């Protein structure tokens, strides 16, 4: 048995204590927790957090974290006092928009296995008698939500860890991190040095300062959030029995403190404070002076909803600091360049125990047990780590904490950041841009508003009609009928080169890559348990040179961590210096061939092949593949020649009716073909056979990561399947994350969804039990509280025999 590592955890807030408990429970008992303040009132967010645990979240992983937090803290006590009170959670709507959102949230909860109910105003008032039912349109009740006692939960977990051998030391401010040979070796405090094989930063709002010690950007901003307590309310003090309450229309939440009411407010201006300015001396560093003027509107809204508050006043309050990130998600993972230095930051009480369990499993087992791509420290592009970006987006995250946010709603600032060389041409065509990963991506073009196909596109419900235009549907139809140009520049790509490039990629991926130069292969990245970490497109450009299309920065981080130590293979990211046009449609060859001396016939360049060529004066890497299911090519060139490539194709395409098409058309077309979108349809929680991606696995090619875990598995052994559903009603365009019902009970959840403009049906992919995933099976999808009929369909819905994409014409 390998020796157990020496572990140092920095920070004894609730996250550090929870991780200490989870690690020592798994046998890692040589563990020291260093705290710069007192134990266990450390001065961080745990010391003043009101302890509300609302489990419902649009992210299934975050809901899973919260569910475990409820279960764990519900089983803990400190000196006979329970660490969690399951008083229930109640969210109320005072506007029609919020009422609709509560119905959506009920769907999220159901899809994640959290029991909840949509209730009428009178039942809201029965649960929380202080409510004025005349002000409420309806509510959302989650019986298992409740109140954590953060300091008690932290200490209870610390005591368990101490009982297993862990040490907790107060007044140990970390001033340095020791390392050798690219690996952490210890932590230095103001009083001494502690040897370590693993260092885990759980410093919360001080996390960026710890990051500076090791050259790591920790993209979080400490932000003040107002919390006030009222004077005693008339009537006898009573034990807390009313549910915790959220009035999100006014950015408010409420909990009881005996005969007083605690009120939290997010409706005020963002109040960021740099980590280096947070006090560490006497008093509570994370509690700033209350600013009554910022609370005036919140108090008025609170009294309006709970009229009896008018008999009280604000007795005390704080501006309490919490950690906010650019996307509102935690920061979990290992330093990219310093092995053994880990972070678990920007974790709120609600998710603390769940995050701790997952981090412990990640450390002990070598990989997490949950889909963490939305929480992974490596998820950000370099431009997204700029201090100005982190500040602007974190402030916006604060503003949107309780907002009704559409899944396509972009951040407004700072924009634009990343633009392709085609940006000016696209703007000239009236592109409607949305942002992803810092990239400006056209979703449709106003220049196509006069296409006759626009009139054939059916209307859709109000929610699905946001950030949408029927023009996108017309673009999809024209791409199927003629030819369209799609900007694919934002797809992340790297080059893997060197004499060890092929063996390296063979080890990392599932498909056979030992093919002649000129081949392109779809393949998967797996974890050791066989879960799909990502899917890749690998083009062999030479004997020792491969272009790899990846899904994001997490993939690049994973590949770099596994590079051979002898330098036989190297990775170079090429995305910023290159660009790509997807030229797709039945007339794509007619546009392309006259521009080049290279033979683009089917015989000379079959499907999933690549060539170097010239398109006019522009050198390109041409790959014959298509994510939309039509004949065509991905055409890559250097960024300096991008606009010339666009203009060359655009001019040549006019005789063939070429259009520019956006992401809306792209998304519809790829769902009609049944192509999976990693991170939405498939994650590391699923194996290839469950996702019908077994065709990309070659068990006979030799070892690859995850191969052993797949032994004995096949599409015949799966118990769940990613399944295609269709909806006949064109108005009911679901958008993803909705629960799916069979026989009146929830059995799964929707991943991707869009209207199929070619097939004339709404399409939804969903994870379902294998016994339910039977073509023709009638099901229902809950959409904003209503059940919409759906049916299991055979896939793909379009061009099942692949004649169009393999066209020789």
């Amino acid at each position: 048995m390998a020796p157990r590592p020496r572990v140092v955890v920095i920070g004894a807030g609730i996250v550090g204590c929870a991780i200490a408990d989870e690690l020592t429970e798994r046998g890692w008992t040589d563990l020291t927790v260093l705290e710069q303040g007192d134990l266990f009132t450390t001065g961080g967010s745990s010391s003043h957090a009101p302890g509300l645990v609302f489990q419902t979240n649009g992210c299934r992983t975050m809901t899973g974290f919260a569910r475990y937090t409820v279960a764990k803290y519900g089983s803990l006590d400190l000196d006979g006092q329970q660490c969690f009170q399951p008083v229930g959670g109640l969210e109320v709507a005072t506007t029609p928009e919020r009422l609709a959102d509560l119905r959506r949230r009920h769907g999220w909860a159901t899809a994640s296995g959290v029991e909840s109910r949509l209730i009428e105003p009178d039942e809201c008032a029965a649960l929380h008698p202080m409510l004025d039912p005349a002000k409420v349109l309806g509510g959302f009740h989650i019986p298992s939500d409740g109140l954590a006692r953060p300091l008690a939960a932290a200490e209870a977990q610390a005591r368990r860890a101490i009982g297993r051998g862990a040490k907790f030391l107060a007044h140990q401010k970390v001033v340095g991190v020791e390392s050798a040979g690219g690996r952490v070796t210890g932590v230095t405090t103001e009083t001494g040095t502690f040897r370590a094989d693993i260092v885990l930063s759980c410093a919360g709002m001080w996390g960026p300062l710890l990051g500076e010690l090791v050259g790591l950007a920790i993209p979080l901003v400490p932000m003040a959030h107002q919390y006030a307590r009222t004077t005693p309310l008339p009537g006898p003090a009573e034990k807390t029995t009313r549910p915790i309450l959220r009035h999100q229309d006014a950015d408010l939440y409420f909990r009881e403190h005996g005969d007083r009411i605690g009120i939290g407010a997010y409706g005020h201006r963002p109040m960021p404070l740099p980590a280096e300015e947070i006090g560490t001396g006497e008093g509570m560093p994370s509690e700033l002076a209350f600013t009554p003027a910022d609370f005036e509107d919140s108090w008025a809204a609170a009294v309006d909803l709970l009229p009896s508050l008018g008999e009280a006043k604000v007795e005390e309050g704080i501006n309490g600091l919490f950690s906010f990130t650019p996307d509102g998600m935690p920061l979990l993972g290992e330093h990219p360049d310093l092995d053994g230095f880990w972070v678990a930051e920007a974790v709120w009480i609600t998710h603390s125990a769940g995050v701790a369990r997952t981090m412990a499993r990640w450390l002990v087992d070598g990989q997490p047990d949950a889909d963490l791509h939305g929480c992974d420290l490596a998820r950000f592009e370099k431009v997204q780590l700029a201090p100005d970006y982190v500040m602007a987006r974190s402030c916006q995250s604060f503003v949107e904490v309780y907002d009704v946010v559409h899944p396509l709603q972009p951040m407004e600032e700072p924009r634009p950041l990343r633009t392709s060389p085609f940006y000016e041409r696209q703007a000239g065509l009236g592109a409607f841009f949305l942002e992803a990963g810092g990239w400006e991506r056209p979703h449709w073009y106003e220049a196509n508003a006069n296409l006759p196909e626009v009139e054939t596109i059916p209307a859709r419900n109000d929610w699905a009609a946001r950030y949408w235009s029927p023009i996108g549907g017309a673009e999809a139809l024209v791409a199927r009928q003629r030819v369209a140009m799609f900007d694919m520049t934002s797809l992340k790509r790297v080059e893997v080169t060197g004499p060890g490039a092929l063996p390296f990629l063979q080890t990392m991926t599932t498909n056979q890559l030992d093919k002649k130069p000129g081949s392109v292969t779809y393949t998967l990245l797996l974890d050791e348990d066989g879960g799909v970490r990502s899917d890749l497109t690998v083009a062999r450009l030479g004997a020792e040179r491969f272009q790899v299309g990846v899904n994001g920065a997490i993939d690049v981080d994973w590949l770099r961590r596994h590079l051979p130590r002898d330098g036989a293979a190297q990775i170079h990211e090429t995305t910023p210096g290159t660009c790509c046009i997807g030229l797709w449609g039945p007339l794509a060859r007619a546009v392309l061939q006259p521009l080049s001396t290279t033979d683009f016939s089917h015989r000379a360049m079959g499907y999933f092949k690549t060539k170097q060529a010239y398109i006019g004066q522009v050198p390109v890497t041409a790959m014959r593949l298509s994510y939309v299911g039509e004949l065509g090519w991905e055409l890559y060139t250097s960024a300096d020649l991008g606009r010339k490539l666009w203009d060359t194709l655009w001019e040549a395409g006019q005789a063939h009716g070429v259009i520019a098409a956006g992401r809306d058309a792209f998304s519809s077309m790829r769902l009609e073909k049944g192509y999976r979108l990693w991170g939405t349809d498939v994650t590391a929680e699923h194996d290839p056979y469950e996702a019908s991606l077994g065709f990309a696995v070659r068990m006979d090619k030799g070892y690859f990561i995850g191969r052993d875990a797949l032994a004995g598995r096949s599409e015949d052994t799966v118990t769940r399947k990613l399944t295609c559903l269709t909806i006949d009603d064109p108005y009911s365009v679901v958008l993803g994350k909705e629960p799916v019902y069979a026989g009146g009970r929830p059995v799964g959840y929707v991943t991707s969804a869009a209207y199929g403009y070619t097939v004339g049906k709404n399409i939804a992919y969903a994870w379902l039990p294998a016994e339910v995933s039977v073509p023709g099976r009638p099901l229902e999808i809950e959409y904003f509280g209503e059940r919409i009929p759906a049916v299991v369909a055979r896939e793909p819905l379009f061009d099942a025999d692949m004649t169009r994409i393999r066209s020789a014409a």
Side-chain angles (χ1 to χ4, degrees):
M1 178 181 292
R4 302 291 169 83
R6 297 169 296 182
V7 181
V8 169
V9 176
I10 303 172
I14 196 167
V15 178
C17 292
I19 286 177
D21 180 32
E22 296 286 341
L23 283 174
T24 56
E25 185 178 40
R26 288 163 175 78
W28 283 19
T29 55
D30 188 354
L31 185 146
T32 303
V33 180
L34 304 176
E35 171 53 51
Q36 68 178 357
D38 295 328
L39 300 175
F40 288 91
T41 306
T42 63
S45 299
S46 301
S47 302
H48 64 73
L52 283 69
V53 179
F54 283 93
Q55 298 166 85
T56 305
N57 193 292
C59 173
R60 288 172 55 83
T61 296
M62 297 295 279
T63 298
F65 288 158
R67 290 184 68 186
Y68 182 72
T69 297
V70 166
K72 183 176 185 181
Y73 295 169
S75 69
L76 287 178
D77 71 86
L78 183 71
D79 299 329
Q81 295 294 312
Q82 290 298 308
C83 294
F84 182 81
Q85 296 171 287
V87 297
L90 175 62
E91 303 178 23
V92 295
T94 60
T95 63
E97 182 183 37
R98 182 66 61 179
L99 185 62
D101 191 58
L102 294 187
R103 293 174 181 143
R104 181 174 67 134
R105 292 173 62 76
H106 175 262
W108 291 350
T110 303
S112 293
V114 177
E115 179 188 351
S116 65
R117 295 183 303 136
L118 294 166
I119 60 178
E120 298 297 323
D122 57 347
E123 191 170 358
C124 293
L127 287 168
H128 202 296
M130 292 180 69
L131 278 170
D132 178 358
K135 298 290 174 61
V136 175
L137 300 179
F140 173 45
H141 181 228
I142 311 94
S144 57
D145 285 350
L147 288 167
R149 296 173 59 217
L151 296 181
E155 186 170 353
Q157 292 174 101
R159 288 185 184 181
R160 294 184 358 161
I162 291 168
R164 302 183 189 110
K167 302 181 183 70
F168 280 70
L169 303 177
H171 309 297
Q172 296 288 337
K173 182 179 179 179
V174 173
V175 296
V177 176
E178 308 296 323
S179 64
R183 182 163 191 91
V184 71
T185 59
V187 170
T188 301
T189 72
E190 293 175 328
T191 65
T193 297
F194 299 82
R195 310 316 305 165
D197 304 300
I198 300 287
V199 174
L200 182 55
S201 176
C202 304
M205 65 189 72
W206 288 281
L209 303 182
L210 270 296
E212 289 177 5
L213 296 179
V214 291
L216 177 65
I218 305 289
L220 70 79
V221 176
M223 202 89 64
H225 155 59
Q226 292 198 302
Y227 190 76
R229 297 192 193 200
T230 68
T231 54
L233 292 166
E238 57 186 40
K239 184 178 179 181
T240 302
T241 55
R242 296 169 186 163
I244 49 177
L245 174 66
R246 285 207 280 198
H247 177 22
Q248 291 158 299
D249 284 320
D251 297 301
L252 292 171
Y253 64 81
F254 305 86
R255 61 154 293 182
E256 295 182 352
H257 295 279
D259 59 354
R260 293 169 169 80
I261 296 293
I263 306 170
Y266 289 103
H268 55 80
R269 60 191 168 91
M271 293 185 276
L273 184 70
E276 60 269 20
E277 296 181 18
I278 303 172
T280 57
E282 295 297 322
M284 190 69 67
S286 60
E287 293 184 7
L288 307 182
F290 190 65
T291 50
D294 290 305
F295 197 69
E296 289 178 358
D297 290 345
S298 297
W299 176 251
V303 173
D304 185 58
L305 183 70
L306 309 178
S308 59
L309 286 180
E311 303 175 46
K313 62 182 181 180
V314 174
E315 184 173 62
E316 59 183 350
I318 62 168
N319 287 2
L321 292 173
F322 291 90
S323 299
F324 282 79
T325 61
D327 58 6
M329 296 289 280
L331 304 170
L332 311 177
E334 188 179 17
H335 195 304
D337 301 311
L338 181 59
D339 291 350
F341 187 91
W342 292 73
V343 301
E345 306 288 18
V347 180
W348 290 13
I349 305 298
T350 299
H351 310 108
S352 54
V355 165
R357 178 177 66 168
T358 293
M359 289 299 297
R361 288 179 172 174
W362 196 352
L363 286 162
V364 175
D365 300 335
Q367 62 187 38
D369 62 332
D371 166 34
L372 294 186
H373 80 273
C375 307
D376 197 308
L377 178 68
R379 68 188 181 270
F380 296 102
E381 296 292 322
K382 190 172 182 179
V383 69
Q384 296 174 305
L385 298 175
D388 287 352
Y389 180 98
V390 172
M391 176 62 73
R393 296 277 171 126
S394 296
C395 286
Q396 188 64 22
S397 291
F398 177 89
V399 169
E400 293 179 350
V401 163
Y402 280 172
D403 284 1
V404 178
V405 178
H406 192 275
L408 291 177
Q409 181 175 325
M411 290 279 195
E412 295 300 329
E413 296 292 338
R415 287 180 65 190
L417 274 178
R418 309 175 81 184
T419 58
S420 79
F422 325 128
Y423 181 71
E424 286 76 18
R425 295 293 188 258
Q426 293 164 341
L429 293 171
F432 179 82
F433 292 101
L434 294 176
E435 178 268 346
W439 286 102
E440 296 295 325
R441 305 195 304 181
H443 275 243
W444 67 84
Y445 294 85
E446 287 296 329
N448 296 324
N450 293 325
L451 290 170
E453 289 84 358
V454 172
E455 299 301 320
T456 70
I457 304 302
R460 54 175 61 186
N461 61 77
D462 290 345
W463 182 250
R466 297 187 189 185
Y467 305 101
W468 172 83
S469 168
I471 297 171
E475 292 172 359
L477 293 177
V478 171
R480 292 270 190 240
Q481 296 159 5
R482 302 198 297 270
V483 61
M485 292 165 55
F486 294 81
D487 182 0
M488 306 305 293
T489 301
S490 63
L491 298 182
K492 197 172 186 71
R493 50 203 167 273
V494 298
E495 279 199 358
V496 179
T497 58
L502 177 61
F504 166 65
L505 289 172
Q506 286 281 70
T507 298
M508 298 302 298
T509 68
T510 59
N511 213 336
Q512 178 59 262
L513 304 181
D514 191 2
K515 304 174 183 177
K516 294 179 180 180
S519 64
V520 183
T521 306
Y522 176 82
T523 187
L524 308 175
L525 289 179
L526 304 184
D527 61 25
E528 291 288 359
D529 284 342
V532 181
R533 285 190 58 95
S534 189
D535 61 346
L536 313 178
T537 301
V538 180
R540 191 168 193 181
L541 305 182
E544 298 181 358
R545 180 175 169 233
F546 296 80
Q547 178 173 309
V548 182
V550 300
N551 279 299
I554 296 173
D555 292 350
V556 180
D557 179 71
W558 176 257
L559 292 170
R560 282 181 172 152
R561 290 182 186 278
H562 290 82
L563 281 171
R565 298 293 185 183
D566 62 4
Q570 303 87 38
I571 293 176
H572 312 277
E573 186 174 347
T574 58
T575 316
T578 56
C579 58
C580 179
I581 293 174
L583 182 72
W584 292 314
L587 302 181
R589 186 178 282 116
V591 173
L592 192 62
Q593 187 60 79
L595 298 172
S596 181
T597 57
T598 299
D599 187 353
F600 284 99
S601 69
H602 183 66
R603 178 185 296 273
M605 188 178 184
Y607 187 52
F608 265 77
K609 299 296 181 181
T610 182
K611 282 187 177 183
Q612 305 295 313
Y614 280 90
I615 306 302
Q617 293 83 41
V618 181
V620 301
T621 299
M623 298 187 192
R624 189 177 169 193
L625 39 120
S626 168
Y627 205 44
V628 300
E630 291 291 339
L631 169 68
W633 288 262
E634 291 180 0
L635 302 170
Y636 295 89
T637 193
S638 55
D640 60 322
L641 292 169
R643 191 159 63 178
K644 182 65 174 177
L645 176 62
W646 178 281
D647 290 346
T648 300
L649 293 170
W650 184 256
E651 181 178 350
Q654 295 308 301
H656 303 281
V658 73
I659 63 166
R663 300 294 298 190
D664 185 69
F666 179 88
S667 298
S668 171
M669 296 170 79
R670 73 102 181 160
L671 278 181
E672 290 179 329
K673 280 297 293 179
Y675 293 150
R676 277 62 171 139
L677 177 61
W678 187 88
T680 300
D681 299 317
V682 185
T683 72
E685 294 182 349
H686 312 110
D687 78 28
Y689 305 110
E690 294 171 325
S692 297
L693 295 175
F695 66 88
V697 177
R698 294 290 182 267
M699 294 292 284
D700 59 354
K701 77 163 189 171
Y703 172 78
F704 56 84
I705 293 174
R707 181 184 184 280
D708 293 347
L710 295 185
R713 300 191 207 180
S714 71
E715 293 196 11
D716 295 330
T717 66
V718 301
T719 59
R720 60 179 177 176
K721 293 183 68 175
L722 184 62
T723 305
C724 180
L725 310 180
T726 59
I727 304 165
D728 287 336
D729 178 9
Y731 191 70
S732 300
V733 181
V734 302
L735 297 182
K737 303 183 179 181
E738 299 87 358
V740 180
Y741 288 77
R745 63 184 183 88
V747 294
Y749 61 93
V750 173
T751 58
S752 292
Y755 187 76
Y757 298 109
T758 313
V759 301
K761 292 178 181 289
N762 276 309
I763 305 167
Y765 272 78
W767 280 102
L768 298 173
E771 64 271 17
V772 174
S773 181
V774 178
R777 174 74 181 264
L779 301 169
E780 293 179 310
I781 299 173
E782 181 183 325
Y783 186 64
F784 286 88
E786 297 183 1
R787 304 280 180 87
I788 298 171
V791 65
V792 176
R794 294 188 186 278
E795 58 171 335
L797 299 171
F798 178 79
D799 191 28
D801 57 5
M802 300 286 283
T803 56
R804 294 173 71 98
I805 206 166
R806 299 180 186 275
S807 172

